[in-house]
Amino acid sequence: MTLIRSTLLIFLVTFCTCIYTQPAFDSVKFFHEEKPLVLKLTTDISNLISGKQKDVSQNALFSCKLPDSSELKENITITVRGHMRRSICNVPPVKLNFKKSPRLSSLNSLKLVTVCRGGAFDGQLLLKEYLVYKIFNLLTDKSFRVRLVNLTYEDTKERKKPMIWDAFFVEDVDALAKREKCKELNNIKTNSELTDRKQMTLVNLFEFMIGNTDWSVPNNHNIKLLKSKKDSLQRPIPVPYDFDYSGLVNAEYATPDPIMNVESVLTRVYRGFPRKMEELQEAILVFNKQKESIYALIKNFAPLSSRNKSEMTDYLDDFYKIINKPSEVKYYFIDNARTQ
């Protein structure tokens, strides 16, 4: 009888342990879900704000509702990230580290993009940037997936009132590389013309489409490079991210680099090198095939105001007029493309 009881106890402990340690989220399915994740982050907000210029991690409690309505609470660490936004935003963007969390470790670490200064206006800017990521997802699988979040920041010391914002997660680069059967190339100095030509052409046109000049392949700025694990001869694959300085988002703090010689981020500048007309037409076909889906994505995105929907589609209208007029294609992407 004692042996039976001991065996049963071991079984129950093992069974309960297995249940507890099962991942709460599938790292792939997590980004397929369109429903916003309702999340509460409890941390020392004053310390987060005062230390935003330092790459120091601090503890936080991650609380959310699971699909079965049960509540998940796990201790994680968060680290301030970013460049410009960490210096100008009231509460800086952060990266969440789940690696030591039993039920969240499958998520590895994720960037969390939050509103910059609070308020409805900044909330709309964040939603527009979220849509920019979703637009690029429609154009290529070699893109970062995103997940919308209804976020509550709660202060552990109760010195600050809870802050309730929209936010979004950006897929971890290792997860992106894994599903594309690639690996990330870290801090590799290379010219954009030495990357995968087809993908680079698509990225060049996409950045022109959204009016973004805040990126650089040689400087490893807002571009990740992936390398095929199977094909050692394949050139690095460029994947863009961080689009808050784009004209399509049109954040009030966004200003073009003086080297661009334009006064507003709304003015499109093509930063790619020249391409043959055949190469351009191949990429343009991708944009035209996804045009209705892109416009529908914006139109059907309920959290975005009607005014911002109109501004985004009007801005895209100008892009589509350019790419569907051969003389304009030649002017922007061949005759006046960069040469160095």
Side-chain angles (χ1 to χ4, degrees):
M1 182 65 72
T2 302
L3 179 60
I4 294 174
R5 286 177 178 174
S6 298
T7 303
L8 181 60
L9 180 61
I10 292 171
F11 171 78
L12 290 174
V13 170
T14 303
F15 178 73
C16 291
T17 302
C18 289
I19 291 176
Y20 179 74
T21 56
Q22 283 181 344
F25 298 107
D26 180 290
S27 59
V28 175
K29 293 180 180 178
F30 182 81
F31 284 99
H32 285 165
E33 178 61 62
E34 294 295 330
K35 185 178 180 180
L37 180 71
V38 179
L39 168 65
K40 180 166 69 176
L41 280 179
T42 306
T43 192
D44 186 337
I45 296 177
S46 295
N47 188 63
L48 185 68
I49 295 172
S50 63
K52 64 183 181 179
Q53 297 302 331
K54 305 172 184 176
D55 293 319
V56 178
S57 296
Q58 65 183 61
N59 296 325
L61 179 65
F62 180 104
S63 308
C64 72
K65 287 288 183 68
L66 297 177
D68 62 2
S69 297
S70 63
E71 187 174 16
L72 171 70
K73 291 186 177 182
E74 291 277 323
N75 291 312
I76 64 169
T77 57
I78 61 176
T79 307
V80 173
R81 66 168 194 88
H83 298 285
M84 181 58 71
R85 277 190 270 204
R86 79 155 63 184
S87 63
I88 65 174
C89 295
N90 293 341
V91 178
V94 295
K95 175 174 273 192
L96 279 59
N97 189 329
F98 303 104
K99 295 176 182 178
K100 295 183 179 180
S101 174
R103 299 195 64 195
L104 295 170
S105 58
S106 62
L107 297 178
N108 197 9
S109 61
L110 296 176
K111 293 178 181 179
L112 182 64
V113 182
T114 56
V115 298
C116 187
R117 294 167 180 166
F121 180 80
D122 270 21
Q124 290 287 296
L125 294 179
L126 178 131
L127 294 173
K128 287 196 284 184
E129 185 179 7
Y130 166 81
L131 285 177
V132 175
Y133 278 94
K134 300 291 281 186
I135 290 171
F136 197 55
N137 292 158
L138 292 172
L139 299 174
T140 174
D141 288 334
K142 297 177 179 68
S143 56
F144 284 102
R145 291 171 179 166
V146 285
R147 172 78 183 273
L148 201 60
V149 176
N150 295 146
L151 173 66
T152 299
Y153 255 130
E154 188 174 76
D155 188 23
T156 51
K157 295 185 177 179
E158 299 183 347
R159 293 174 179 173
K160 294 185 177 293
K161 295 180 180 179
M163 296 177 287
I164 302 174
W165 297 331
D166 284 317
F168 64 86
F169 281 120
V170 180
E171 181 181 28
D172 180 64
V173 65
D174 290 335
L176 164 60
K178 182 179 180 180
R179 63 180 169 83
E180 290 301 317
K181 297 179 174 58
C182 293
K183 61 181 179 181
E184 181 191 3
L185 294 178
N186 284 308
N187 300 317
I188 299 297
K189 295 289 185 180
T190 188
N191 188 282
S192 62
E193 290 300 87
L194 297 178
T195 63
D196 183 89
R197 193 171 177 89
K198 186 174 180 179
Q199 174 77 357
M200 193 71 250
T201 302
L202 190 73
V203 170
N204 287 337
L205 290 183
F206 172 73
E207 299 282 23
F208 180 80
M209 169 184 169
I210 65 172
N212 188 36
T213 60
D214 187 32
W215 62 279
S216 170
V217 172
N219 295 323
N220 294 306
H221 181 56
N222 292 340
I223 290 279
K224 292 292 185 181
L225 295 176
L226 306 181
K227 179 72 174 179
S228 173
K229 288 184 176 180
K230 293 185 176 180
D231 185 0
S232 61
L233 297 179
Q234 184 184 36
R235 291 182 172 190
I237 300 166
V239 184
Y241 64 97
D242 273 9
F243 306 116
D244 60 315
Y245 265 60
S246 67
L248 194 55
V249 173
N250 196 23
E252 61 178 356
Y253 58 79
T255 55
D257 191 308
I259 197 173
M260 297 301 155
N261 200 30
V262 294
E263 294 183 357
S264 168
V265 293
L266 292 172
T267 302
R268 288 185 170 93
V269 178
Y270 179 65
R271 297 203 62 208
F273 285 83
R275 290 291 189 262
K276 295 178 181 178
M277 185 61 78
E278 294 79 10
E279 293 176 291
L280 293 167
Q281 290 301 334
E282 183 181 1
I284 288 169
L285 182 62
V286 176
F287 286 89
N288 281 332
K289 279 186 175 180
Q290 294 299 333
K291 181 179 179 180
E292 289 187 9
S293 297
I294 291 171
Y295 279 65
L297 174 69
I298 297 169
K299 178 183 178 182
N300 298 326
F301 189 55
L304 194 66
S305 70
S306 297
R307 177 179 176 179
N308 280 307
K309 288 178 182 179
S310 295
E311 289 179 354
M312 290 187 78
T313 53
D314 287 348
Y315 194 72
L316 293 177
D317 283 344
D318 290 336
F319 168 76
Y320 275 100
K321 287 177 183 177
I322 290 171
I323 65 170
N324 286 295
K325 191 173 181 180
S327 61
E328 294 284 270
V329 172
K330 184 175 183 295
Y331 173 81
Y332 281 102
F333 312 129
I334 299 177
D335 296 343
N336 289 286
R338 63 186 300 179
T339 56
Q340 61 180 8

